[in-house]
Structures are given as C-alpha cells and as structure tokens.
Amino acid sequence: MTKRHRVTAATAVAGLVIAGAQLLGATSAHADDVKPSVPPGTEPSAAAPVPIDSKAPGLKIPQGGTLAPIKVLDIAEVVEDLGGEQRRQETNQTVMMALQSEVLFPENSAVFNAAAAARIQAIAQEINTQKATRIRVFGFTDDQGSYEHGKELSKQRADAVQAELAKTVTVPGVIYDVRGYSEDYPIADNSTEEGRKKNRRVEITFPRSAGGGATTGG
C-alpha cells in the first residue's frame, strides 16, 4: 500500500516587511530575486482579498519604514507518493501533476517505458473530467551534464508526454504549451541523488473546472 503525506500551505502574505530607519538603517524593502522561482506562466493567480492602505495608522509602521509590495499566494495542497514518484499539487485555480522521469523513461532517454502510458492516460482522463482546454507540459532535468543537453532532453520528454496525452484527451479546442527547462527551477537539492531524482521530472498543469473537487492520483 502506498503511503502518502499531505502538506497544506495556506498563506495569504500581506507583505508587511518593515524596514525601520531607526531599527535597521534602511528605508525601503528589497525587491525579489531577478530570476523567478517558478517557470513563467505558473505564478500564483490569487488576488488580494482587500485593499491595503500603506498609510493606515493601524499598521504601526516605524518612522522611516515602508510597506513592502503586497504578495498573495494561492492556497496549495500537495499530495506526494512516499517515494516521490508522483506529486499532485492543487490550488484554487489549477491542478499540477509531477512525474519523476524514472517512472516514465529509461536513463538519458525520451522513449517511454512499459508503465508510462497508463500513468499519463490516467491524467488525461482527469483533464477530460475538468474540461480543461489549456494544458502546460514542462520538462526538467537535474544539473548533471551540460545545460544544452538537459534543455534538449527535457523538451523531448515533454513532447513525448504531450503526444501521449493527446491520444486520450478529448476536450475540443485544447491548447498545449510544451517546454523544456533543463536544470532551471529545481524543486530539491541537486547536491544529493535524492534531490536530483526529484528534479528530473515532467509537470502537467491544467485549470480546475468551476466547483471541481480534489481527487488524488496514485
């Protein structure tokens, strides 16, 4: 029996990063890192529930301090197989299924193994249930080998997954966004084999239908 662990991150961050001139010697908050932590197009989609007045006295900002830009994160629920072979992440807007490359492909290959088709077909059936018309298929590798080879391999694997999805997805007018990102956007530490294994993955993301409930993939 497969054991699972569930992590729920329910955070609406109002960005109250206060830099008081008298306390820290700074008058403004630093901007986020230049490089995004997630691939373009996958940023959180939630909006601030209420407007925030940076001059409101209730905020009690120290003299000389400023209010950092407001940042609101989607509520995310993550369910992962004990071995990490398959991970499901849901927000109020989307479903993302991540499959480790080892469960789909032989090493350094973009040709499916015997069990790959069934896993992808199960995801395709859920896409049909959700009636999703925009599907993102993103491939990733670890940081071993050249970046250029990783870029090519991750794209070839994403293409293979998209082609298999297309055999089962019956939603009319569906649009696929297929990309390979090589070692960019790791989700684990590349200094360990366990982390590299998690980073070698293909992610399939699609919107949830209105009122669609959570179902857990195996």
Side-chain angles (χ1 to χ4, degrees):
M1 179 178 295
T2 302
K3 295 183 180 179
R4 300 177 181 277
H5 68 270
R6 185 177 297 252
V7 180
T8 302
T11 311
V13 182
L16 293 178
V17 179
I18 309 300
Q22 296 178 343
L23 300 176
L24 301 178
T27 58
S28 62
H30 293 289
D32 291 338
D33 293 338
V34 174
K35 184 176 180 179
S37 59
V38 295
T42 63
E43 298 86 355
S45 57
V50 294
I52 297 178
D53 181 4
S54 61
K55 298 181 180 179
L59 293 178
K60 298 181 180 179
I61 299 177
Q63 184 178 3
T66 59
L67 184 67
I70 296 171
K71 183 183 294 183
V72 179
L73 305 180
D74 281 325
I75 295 174
E77 181 181 58
V78 179
V79 178
E80 184 177 88
D81 287 349
L82 187 60
E85 294 181 349
Q86 184 164 318
R87 179 168 54 92
R88 179 189 183 94
Q89 177 176 309
E90 289 194 54
T91 71
N92 58 325
Q93 299 289 332
T94 63
V95 176
M96 188 275 287
M97 303 292 293
L99 297 170
Q100 287 185 5
S101 295
E102 278 79 355
V103 305
L104 300 177
F105 307 100
E107 183 179 357
N108 203 33
S109 171
V111 178
F112 284 135
N113 61 34
R119 286 181 176 268
I120 296 170
Q121 289 165 9
I123 297 173
Q125 292 291 359
E126 182 170 355
I127 291 172
N128 289 334
T129 299
Q130 299 285 356
K131 297 180 173 57
T133 58
R134 299 191 68 89
I135 304 169
R136 294 193 299 263
V137 185
F138 293 169
F140 305 86
T141 62
D142 58 27
D143 65 351
Q144 305 299 292
S146 71
Y147 181 86
E148 291 74 18
H149 175 69
K151 188 89 169 178
E152 180 180 2
L153 180 61
S154 59
K155 179 59 162 58
Q156 289 175 345
R157 287 175 167 176
D159 284 336
V161 171
Q162 183 274 326
E164 188 63 36
L165 284 172
K167 296 178 182 179
T168 305
V169 172
T170 58
V171 181
V174 65
I175 297 174
Y176 293 91
D177 180 9
V178 185
R179 307 183 194 184
Y181 283 106
S182 189
E183 64 194 57
D184 291 338
Y185 313 110
I187 59 173
D189 186 356
N190 270 314
S191 67
T192 68
E193 175 52 31
E194 181 181 0
R196 291 192 293 271
K197 188 175 180 180
K198 289 185 176 182
N199 289 333
R200 298 190 296 265
R201 68 198 191 278
V202 177
E203 295 181 356
I204 303 166
T205 307
F206 49 93
R208 294 179 60 179
S209 60
T215 56
T216 302

